[in-house]
Amino acid sequence: MDILAIIVNVVVFLGLAPLFEGVIRKLYAKVQSRQGPPIVQPYYDLIKLLGKERLVPGNVAFKIAPMMAFASIVTVVMFVPLGFKANFLTQYADIITIIYVLTLGGVSVLLGALSSRNTYAMVGASREMITMIMVEPVLAMTLIMGALKVKGMSVGASFFSVAMTGYGWGVVLMLVVFLMALQAFVGRQPFDIAEAEIEIIEGPFIEYSGPYLALFKYYMMIKQMFYAFLFVTVFMPFLQTGSYAANIGTQLAGILAVVVLISLVGSTNPRLRIEQAVRYYAVLILLSLTAVGLTVYGI
Amino acid sequence: MATIQALTDQLKKKFANAVTGVENPEATQLFIDIKKDKVREICNEVIAQGGRYLVSVGTDYLAKDGTLGLIHTFAFDKEHYFASLRTATKEMEPIESITPDIPNAGWSEREYMDLLGMKFTNHPKPKKLVTADDWPADIYPLRKEVPFNIKPLAAENVAYQLDECPDGCSIVPFGPYHPTQHEPAHFALFVDGETIKGSDYRGFMIHRGVEKLAQTQISYNEIPFLAERICGICGSVHAASFSQAVEIAAGHKISRRAEYIRTIMLEIERVHSHLLWLGVAGHLIGFDTVFMQAWRVREPIMWLCERLTGSRKTYGMIVIGGVRRDITPELKQDILNVIGTIEKEMVTIKNAIIGDTAIHRRTKDVGYITKEDTIKWSLVGPVARARGVDIDARRDQPYAAYDEMKFDVPVVDNCDVWGTVLVRVLETFEAISIIRQALDKMPNDGPILMPFDDALPAGRHGITAVEAPRGEVTHYVITGEENRPERWRVRAPTYPNLQGVPMMLLNNQLADVPIIIGSIDPCFSCTERMEVVDLRNGGMKVMSQSELEALSRNKG
């Protein structure tokens, strides 16, 4: 039975991440007075890419990077408490593990970009690096705030801190900061700076095609869903019902709401320049530190 | 501020030996023949008198008298006339470059080094501009003895040498195929981190030789259709300005009704072009919603154009002597309905853009150049008007029915990309108001087309400027024999504006490059004047994938 909950985790994330991506694309289209692709289009895209020729300009690192990114995000989703229920693996991980493994995904993107030796990929990689350095603390602070609230580093404790100890001003502030950082977490406008289709032509992913690109795309979709999930689990504990299945249902509904928010914000904002974004991130870091500070004093 | 009389008197007085002849066939045209050794000084004097540099026209008279002609043209905006300084040089003799004083002349002069084999002394950047890197050094394609369809053998291992990259900078290539540009052109950006410290431009990769084609293959009445294909967006503008240049050179007057219809076509084109630009600009700063909405609003105009002319773009409407289709009362009502809707939606768009701080963040202080530099570099159109330079060919050099129209020329002094956004949005409202006025005042009778009775006299010069959506288009025509021009020179607005881009890019961020290049609304095909026609089979054929692959692998 232990293994079942983990399988459910993986299946739900792998199976639904492209669907949420499809919802985002559809909503973008609606805001832009377009018809838009069918909601299941991302599945088709992935299947199509998986069937394409593999072109490798760089070295081995170029091939390993997408697999590593994909593996890291799958690892993360394996031990997160889907359905507000800690599974068998959760006890073996703590929030540091989550942060590290998530960062590993980002590092893989950098690795792939740098090994392709493309100028645009280099520019994209340097932007990705700046973004990582600047928004990762917000994620860390969110988890650390939870850990502080319940005085424990375990994933379960941190994720359910709000559920267990309730809202405070610190939590509310962190909630706002998390929402402000959400677009940056998932690489959507106005923070799709590292990819910046128009200037640097998808930046780190410019040399990728076929199955490798499919893995990266899948990685990004799952990451997007993970951050929406994280928000729902930490800040919306009231969605909990009695049963595991119903919990998954309400959680997915919450994720859908976050996804709608992502697409609305994304479609009504132009991309920022990296130095403008850095200023914005700096404010976020300060605010998240403040939130943690407030939590320390129990506010 | 010199009238035609004052300018000629001044030049004659100051350069008595160098001025050999003055011609003033029409109130708007002044041609001065000068000796080549005083070119630079006389050009400087014309600038000092208030002239604005337009373009240089190189001509080939080798067969006639063994000379290559060079015509520097200037506009006097306040006095509403054009002044052209005509000079000539022997084949191998160099002529003094005016680029050190008038930087915008740089490209024109480089063009004639490539195309006519002229030599210039003191040119600051005497590099290849137009011809391919492997083009043989002794074939000058614009010369009369060179056939229009010459195909020299390709050479190996030749490449354009980019400018020296400053110390500590690395090169980021933009192009030849880059999503920012939509057309092939290469910007080499010298960046320090993400800050641009310099750039070099290599374009003209798809030069089509339209001018050569018009001078050797087709006739006056066909050229307007070729001219329309110079640009996919401002087709009527080129057709109108070519037709006007010929009409001026021949002294041919067209009916008032035709002039009104031309005015309406030109303004419809402006509305659609500005909406198009707005969309593209949104896309370039990563704001696709602006892109989609602007293009949605634009769509009814395209349908309207189809009802007016038979096609959505490349209308084939304007020809020498008038226009080809009339505007009936039903169409008039149709136009009024469409522009009424557009105006309402434009108000929404305008408010949305002006209120959107995110757009301000991306466009303010981006692509900054001062008013002085703008004048010095002879930039035109919305790019200049956003920098406080009050020029507009519709008001300064009236043509068609613009002398009877009342409109404002929006000028702002932001000196940045935001200024160009603002100017273009405001101009759209002016264009709509001009269309209304023109429909209102249009005379109800008169032929729409007045063809020529006799062949055009040869050797006459005509110059005209038309305010295209992106700026001022200048056409220079020298009439010739065999029912086609001896020389036809097109200068699209991108030609001068693109030369100002390196200055706008300087010290900006890499992320701003798309919107800065985009802010001049670049039209590389205008600049490169090319046309590809497949005459081999005439009919259309759907090719299978394997056929296409075979074609591309065997290089056609």
Side-chain angles (χ1 to χ4, degrees), chain A residues 48-58 60 62-64 66-67 207-215:
Chain A
K48 178 194 71 183
L49 283 173
L50 284 171
K52 292 222 168 206
E53 199 183 345
R54 279 173 232 212
L55 293 172
V56 180
V60 185
F62 184 85
K63 293 189 209 168
I64 293 175
M67 299 175 210
E207 293 285 346
Y208 278 100
S209 59
Y212 297 125
L213 183 63
L215 280 181

Side-chain angles (χ1 to χ4, degrees), chain A residues 106-123:
Chain A
V107 170
S108 311
V109 173
L110 291 184
L111 185 71
L114 294 173
S115 68
S116 73
R117 285 178 300 216
N118 181 305
T119 314
Y120 298 120
M122 298 292 172
V123 177

Side-chain angles (χ1 to χ4, degrees), chain A residues 44-242:
Chain A
Y44 298 151
D45 289 354
L46 289 178
I47 292 167
K48 178 194 71 183
L49 283 173
L50 284 171
K52 292 222 168 206
E53 199 183 345
R54 279 173 232 212
L55 293 172
V56 180
N59 42 26
V60 185
F62 184 85
K63 293 189 209 168
I64 293 175
M67 299 175 210
M68 207 158 87
F70 185 70
S72 70
I73 197 73
V74 173
T75 314
V76 171
V77 301
M78 268 156 79
F79 52 68
V80 292
L82 186 68
F84 297 105
K85 176 171 161 291
N87 64 28
F88 171 66
L89 269 184
T90 311
Q91 55 187 304
Y92 293 108
D94 58 15
I95 55 172
I96 305 290
T97 326
I98 290 202
I99 294 169
Y100 273 14
V101 181
L102 269 180
T103 314
L104 187 65
V107 170
S108 311
V109 173
L110 291 184
L111 185 71
L114 294 173
S115 68
S116 73
R117 285 178 300 216
N118 181 305
T119 314
Y120 298 120
M122 298 292 172
V123 177
S126 86
R127 292 178 178 187
E128 178 81 37
M129 202 154 7
I130 295 173
T131 311
M132 251 169 67
I133 293 168
M134 298 297 282
V135 294
E136 213 76 338
V138 178
L139 170 77
M141 291 303 156
T142 309
L143 297 175
I144 288 171
M145 181 198 71
L148 277 172
K149 272 176 89 81
V150 291
K151 312 246 177 330
M153 291 283 268
S154 78
V155 174
S158 174
F159 273 48
F160 299 132
S161 61
V162 179
M164 288 191 279
T165 57
Y167 289 96
W169 285 112
V171 176
V172 174
L173 181 59
M174 189 57 97
L175 187 149
V176 173
V177 172
F178 196 92
L179 277 181
M180 287 165 78
L182 199 55
Q183 300 295 113
F185 283 141
V186 298
R188 293 268 166 195
Q189 282 100 342
F191 300 110
D192 56 339
I193 306 165
E195 277 141 68
E197 177 213 341
I198 278 295
E199 311 139 38
I200 52 172
I201 329 173
E202 304 292 331
F205 310 115
I206 181 168
E207 293 285 346
Y208 278 100
S209 59
Y212 297 125
L213 183 63
L215 280 181
F216 264 136
K217 277 200 180 293
Y218 214 170
Y219 156 73
M220 309 261 283
M221 291 172 197
I222 300 172
K223 197 172 93 171
Q224 180 171 287
M225 188 177 164
F226 168 77
Y227 278 108
F229 161 84
L230 186 64
F231 180 80
V232 172
T233 316
V234 175
F235 296 110
M236 297 161 98
F238 50 83
L239 288 178
Q240 288 193 60
T241 58

Side-chain angles (χ1 to χ4, degrees), chain B residues 206-488:
Chain B
I206 46 166
H207 195 277
R208 296 170 288 183
V210 163
E211 288 166 358
K212 181 79 180 176
L213 204 60
Q215 285 155 221
T216 55
Q217 294 303 306
I218 56 179
S219 67
Y220 280 121
N221 283 330
E222 291 159 351
I223 295 178
F225 302 106
L226 176 64
E228 273 206 272
R229 282 157 177 80
I230 288 174
C231 178
I233 306 299
C234 25
S236 280
V237 170
H238 284 286
S241 43
F242 171 76
S243 306
Q244 278 177 25
V246 174
E247 284 153 13
I248 287 170
H252 188 69
K253 198 88 180 82
I254 69 167
S255 79
R256 199 66 187 148
R257 186 172 171 85
E259 290 191 326
Y260 267 91
I261 296 177
R262 279 186 184 179
T263 309
I264 292 167
M265 285 313 296
L266 291 172
E267 290 308 315
I268 286 178
E269 211 157 59
R270 190 180 320 278
V271 173
H272 108 77
S273 176
H274 280 344
L275 279 168
L276 177 135
W277 179 82
L278 200 59
V280 172
H283 180 58
L284 292 179
I285 56 173
F287 201 168
D288 279 348
T289 305
V290 170
F291 171 45
M292 294 294 170
Q293 296 298 347
W295 282 42
R296 178 181 59 75
V297 175
R298 170 178 173 257
E299 197 55 27
I301 309 185
M302 311 304 285
W303 289 109
L304 173 70
C305 286
E306 185 169 331
R307 292 193 290 271
L308 282 176
T309 68
S311 50
R312 283 162 62 91
K313 266 314 308 169
T314 317
Y315 313 119
M317 182 83 161
I318 297 175
V319 288
I320 302 171
V323 292
R324 288 173 64 225
R325 288 182 189 224
D326 205 354
I327 291 181
T328 59
E330 299 85 64
L331 283 174
K332 185 176 164 181
Q333 192 51 46
D334 199 1
I335 297 175
L336 285 173
N337 292 345
V338 171
I339 59 174
T341 328
I342 304 279
E343 192 173 28
K344 250 181 261 153
E345 302 213 62
M346 268 313 286
V347 173
T348 323
I349 290 186
K350 180 188 159 197
N351 292 338
I353 286 178
I354 287 176
D356 192 333
T357 50
I359 294 181
H360 291 211
R361 270 206 299 273
R362 281 306 305 276
T363 53
K364 282 198 170 154
D365 292 326
V366 169
Y368 184 88
I369 38 171
T370 60
K371 186 179 173 183
E372 289 68 39
D373 276 339
T374 312
I375 294 172
K376 188 177 168 219
W377 278 80
S378 324
L379 305 187
V380 296
V383 178
R385 289 196 283 276
R387 272 99 185 161
V389 183
D390 191 6
I391 50 168
D392 190 321
R394 291 175 293 173
R395 184 197 57 199
D396 299 335
Q397 316 282 356
Y399 52 92
Y402 285 107
D403 47 349
E404 285 180 24
M405 301 292 142
K406 283 197 178 62
F407 59 93
D408 290 332
V409 178
V411 177
V412 296
D413 50 5
N414 285 55
C415 300
D416 54 15
V417 173
W418 172 246
T420 59
V421 178
L422 213 54
V423 163
R424 284 194 171 96
V425 169
L426 295 175
E427 266 179 23
T428 315
F429 291 106
E430 294 299 326
I432 290 171
S433 124
I434 292 175
I435 297 174
R436 286 218 179 92
Q437 290 176 46
L439 285 171
D440 195 34
K441 292 185 188 164
M442 186 160 67
N444 286 321
D445 49 345
I448 53 165
L449 185 59
M450 300 172 88
F452 285 96
D453 296 333
D454 300 303
L456 287 172
R460 305 269 281 271
H461 293 232
I463 179 170
T464 181
V466 165
E467 187 73 17
R470 346 178 106 101
E472 178 190 51
V473 165
T474 308
H475 279 226
Y476 194 103
V477 168
I478 304 174
T479 57
E481 279 131 22
E482 294 176 6
N483 200 25
R484 65 174 67 103
E486 156 95 18
R487 180 80 175 93
W488 169 39

